[in-house]
Amino acid sequence: MEREMLFLPLLLCSFICLLTGTNVGVEGLKANHDHLKKLFVFGDSYADTGNTNKTLSDAWKVPYGMTFPGKPDGRWCNGHILTDYVAKFMSIRTPVAFRSWKNHPNKLKQGMNFAYGGTGVFDIPGVVYPNMTRQIDLFQQLVDQKVYNSSDLQDSVVLVTLSGNDYSAYVAEYPNNYTVGIIDFIKKVVPQLVSNVERIYSMGVKQVLVANLQPLGCIPRITQAENSSVCDKFDNTAAGYHNLLLKAAVDKLNLDAHKNDYQPFILLDLFDSFTYVFNNKGVPSGNITFENPLEACCLGINQNYHCASADKNGTKLYTLCDDPKSTFFWDGAHPSQRGWRSISLLLRDTLSKIHGI
């Protein structure tokens, strides 16, 4: 999520209950199974491993990628992200990014990543990349072209992320009265997300992992206003309402699928996982600690700039921490590699529901 949101929805607190969860970087997540699965990925910057344009995207600029692979590679992080950890759990390599698959045909056996940073389920003003529906269209084209066959799909897992860009765009469009219609807009976003998930599943894939919204009021660009000391309750309440609707929809999808031996649709609870890290200053069972989980490693020198900003002479307009391992967040919206490692630990039990693992 490159664009942040700050909204004040009304009368939602009664809907939301903050829960806690439990779960590490790419290391320590490998699972044992006797056959290779494929991973297909759709969504935004929480899952994008290199689809955005190199000349336009901050994810291709220094200091992104400084931990892994040592240079910018299109991930919105200093290193590994959620996609990498899910792939590692499945004992496969990270799937190739759609934009470069023709240059790496030997990597098709791992699956493919169609996620683009900055996108949502709807078109985002100023974003040139395909929304989730068009990402799925790209996938369908490859299936029609026999790049992947029905056998490939039958033994595949799909990861879907939606991290808030639709809501950021809505707030930007209605900055003075967004609270009037934000609830109705949430009721449009979630059904579109669910429709996309249903479409992907109908293509013949085995399982779909659907991430819910993280606590949007806790991202650094929001908490900066309070010296990274407190989350915005209203943003978190709105994210919780989105998640409430999404969980109900996923539960119904599983019920309607009539599968007794496994769940076709698995909810990845980012909200509870992030909240657990914030409340416990890390994941003690995984020997991961953060002095202040709300702080970011890389931020603009003021709110007019962001991580990777520079002037026309190349002078940095951002600050960078000494050690990215010390912070849960990398930049104003995205976890660091260490942050994603902690989340992956908390999601381990959920990921174990992947059929055949």
Side-chain angles (χ1 to χ4, degrees):
M1 181 186 71
E2 286 90 78
R3 304 182 180 198
E4 320 317 332
M5 56 181 291
L6 179 62
F7 41 63
L8 178 61
L10 304 176
L11 301 177
L12 288 178
C13 291
S14 61
F15 291 103
I16 310 305
C17 176
L18 301 183
L19 304 176
T20 57
T22 35
N23 310 328
V24 165
V26 169
E27 304 80 18
L29 277 175
K30 186 173 181 180
N32 294 318
H33 55 80
D34 56 5
H35 58 278
L36 184 68
K37 290 180 176 290
K38 290 178 173 59
L39 176 64
F40 296 101
V41 185
F42 304 88
D44 51 27
S45 55
Y46 269 32
D48 183 3
T49 54
N51 276 319
T52 54
N53 188 294
K54 288 186 176 182
T55 61
L56 299 177
S57 173
D58 285 344
W60 288 98
K61 300 176 182 178
V62 173
Y64 285 85
M66 62 179 290
T67 301
F68 172 84
K71 61 181 180 179
D73 72 339
R75 287 172 171 83
W76 294 88
C77 186
N78 62 305
H80 294 106
I81 63 171
L82 179 62
T83 301
D84 300 298
Y85 290 112
V86 172
K88 186 64 177 182
F89 190 87
M90 295 171 59
S91 296
I92 65 173
R93 294 182 180 275
T94 298
V96 64
F98 171 76
R99 68 180 296 275
S100 60
W101 76 268
K102 291 183 179 180
N103 297 325
H104 305 281
N106 60 314
K107 295 183 178 181
L108 291 175
K109 61 183 180 181
Q110 315 294 341
M112 192 174 294
N113 190 335
F114 298 87
Y116 282 80
T119 63
V121 294
F122 301 126
D123 286 337
I124 307 295
V127 175
V128 299
Y129 307 118
N131 65 28
M132 193 179 295
T133 297
R134 295 205 295 276
Q135 292 174 24
I136 301 170
D137 290 342
L138 296 174
F139 182 37
Q140 182 67 64
Q141 290 172 15
L142 294 186
V143 173
D144 293 342
Q145 295 166 6
K146 309 301 182 184
V147 175
Y148 291 107
N149 58 37
S150 59
S151 178
D152 293 324
L153 301 187
Q154 289 168 5
D155 200 32
S156 67
V157 174
V158 171
L159 170 64
V160 176
T161 67
L162 185 70
S163 307
N165 291 317
D166 293 285
Y167 299 126
S168 299
Y170 183 86
V171 172
E173 186 174 0
Y174 304 102
N176 298 319
N177 62 350
Y178 57 85
T179 59
V180 175
I182 192 64
I183 304 306
D184 288 338
F185 187 60
I186 291 173
K187 292 178 181 178
K188 293 178 181 179
V189 170
V190 175
Q192 182 60 51
L193 172 59
V194 174
S195 176
N196 289 339
V197 168
E198 288 184 287
R199 180 186 171 195
I200 294 169
Y201 182 70
S202 71
M203 293 175 66
V205 303
K206 188 77 171 184
Q207 285 178 300
V208 184
L209 311 177
V210 188
N212 68 8
L213 279 178
Q214 71 282 17
L216 293 169
C218 297
I219 58 176
R221 285 187 181 172
I222 300 299
T223 63
Q224 265 186 298
E226 298 293 338
N227 296 317
S228 302
S229 61
V230 62
C231 299
D232 187 284
K233 293 180 180 179
F234 300 113
D235 285 16
N236 285 352
T237 299
Y241 184 61
H242 168 108
N243 292 343
L244 186 71
L245 298 184
L246 179 60
K247 183 181 185 305
V250 170
D251 288 345
K252 186 177 187 303
L253 289 177
N254 278 319
L255 186 64
D256 293 345
H258 301 295
K259 299 292 184 181
N260 296 322
D261 54 339
Y262 70 96
Q263 292 182 354
F265 305 93
I266 300 175
L267 189 68
L268 297 183
D269 200 337
L270 296 188
F271 192 100
D272 283 0
S273 298
F274 277 53
T275 300
Y276 181 92
V277 171
F278 300 152
N279 290 341
N280 294 277
K281 294 190 174 183
V283 183
S285 62
N287 294 318
I288 297 177
T289 59
F290 304 105
E291 183 175 347
N292 182 357
L294 299 183
E295 290 184 344
C297 179
C298 186
L299 289 172
I301 58 175
N302 59 47
Q303 297 216 349
N304 296 320
Y305 303 103
H306 43 79
C307 185
S309 289
D311 64 19
K312 60 182 181 181
N313 297 317
T315 302
K316 295 190 301 183
L317 298 175
Y318 62 89
T319 60
L320 186 66
C321 69
D322 293 331
D323 181 10
K325 290 183 180 180
S326 67
T327 63
F328 174 78
F329 283 105
W330 162 247
D331 61 13
H334 308 91
S336 64
Q337 174 172 289
R338 189 75 163 175
W340 278 124
R341 174 178 166 86
S342 67
I343 296 303
S344 66
L345 280 176
L346 294 167
L347 293 175
R348 186 177 177 87
D349 288 347
T350 301
L351 293 173
S352 68
K353 296 177 183 178
I354 296 176
H355 191 65
I357 289 184

